[in-house]
Amino acid sequence: EDEDEDADEDPLNLEAFEGVRLRDWIAEDRTRREIKRRFRDFLQTFRLPGAASVLHEEKINAMCRQNLASLEVEYAHLSKEAPVLGIWLADAPRDMLDIFDEVLEQLVKRRFPEYLPHIQDELHVRIANLPLVDKLRDLRQYHMDQLVRVSGVVTRRTGVFPQLKNVVYTCGQCQQA
């Protein structure tokens, strides 16, 4: 559905934002559509040097064959083919990954209509091999809301506390939900 809209629309110069915060620019509908278009093009056309097939088509097929929910994308591949997406991913990862996840879900729905929601509820793009590595001990507040890659040794840990997605309360007297 989004692909049809994008085909009729002139490409947007993503770099032409001035006086607007990056996250606000990304939140605009036309900008989101252009980011989706560029990321979809990247997933559908990127080939490794000398390779005959499209890398991410193979990865998506393998992900679905194995009933997985994540597609791993190399940061170096993305930043080489779509530099703006690579830069913005590092500066506004939550917003960009949400858009990337939407594109992945659209591609999978088109290729494997029964995959969502019957096999997986949601799909995610995972970024691999970010070039800069920070030491775990060097993480600071300025790293908040940034995409970081860390290295270090964890000496203590606690259990994982899952977050609720859906809660239903039942009345003890009338048994109504």
Side-chain angles (χ1 to χ4, degrees):
E1 69 244 15
D2 274 348
E3 283 183 64
D4 297 336
E5 288 177 22
D6 296 347
D8 297 336
E9 196 170 309
D10 289 333
L12 174 67
N13 181 2
L14 290 179
E15 297 89 345
F17 73 100
E18 290 184 29
V20 180
R21 286 185 23 213
L22 177 60
R23 293 190 70 199
D24 294 336
W25 178 244
I26 292 170
E28 290 185 17
D29 284 341
R30 188 155 184 229
T31 306
R32 287 179 67 85
R33 285 194 305 273
E34 180 64 17
I35 293 168
K36 284 181 180 183
R37 186 189 66 74
R38 289 188 189 191
F39 187 64
R40 184 174 36 255
D41 289 349
F42 166 73
L43 291 179
Q44 293 177 325
T45 61
F46 179 78
R47 297 173 197 271
L48 291 173
S53 60
V54 176
L55 176 66
H56 296 99
E57 283 186 2
E58 290 179 5
K59 285 186 166 192
I60 290 170
N61 289 338
M63 176 190 76
C64 292
R65 261 195 321 272
Q66 298 169 23
N67 295 335
L68 301 176
S70 296
L71 174 70
E72 194 172 279
V73 172
E74 291 280 333
Y75 182 82
H77 297 163
L78 178 64
S79 63
K80 181 180 180 215
E81 294 295 312
V84 172
L85 301 186
I87 293 166
W88 289 4
L89 176 64
D91 293 338
R94 188 174 301 145
D95 302 312
M96 294 297 287
L97 287 171
D98 285 345
I99 295 170
F100 291 178
D101 291 350
E102 288 177 32
V103 171
L104 177 60
E105 288 183 2
Q106 290 170 357
L107 291 175
V108 169
K109 279 181 187 175
R110 190 173 35 161
R111 221 177 276 163
F112 306 102
E114 298 298 315
Y115 200 74
L116 291 165
H118 301 293
I119 297 173
Q120 293 292 339
D121 291 330
E122 48 191 37
L123 300 176
H124 300 284
V125 172
R126 305 289 183 216
I127 304 301
N129 299 320
L130 198 64
L132 300 175
V133 181
D134 292 305
K135 292 183 180 171
L136 203 51
R137 291 180 183 263
D138 294 339
L139 287 182
R140 298 291 179 259
Q141 182 179 355
Y142 62 84
H143 288 100
M144 295 286 288
D145 293 326
Q146 301 292 311
L147 188 63
V148 295
R149 178 179 172 188
V150 295
S151 67
V153 177
V154 176
T155 57
R156 277 182 285 144
R157 63 178 184 84
T158 61
V160 175
F161 302 106
Q163 295 179 355
L164 298 175
K165 283 195 174 192
N166 193 8
V167 177
V168 177
Y169 295 99
T170 305
C171 176
Q173 293 177 343
C174 67
Q175 302 302 316
Q176 235 182 358

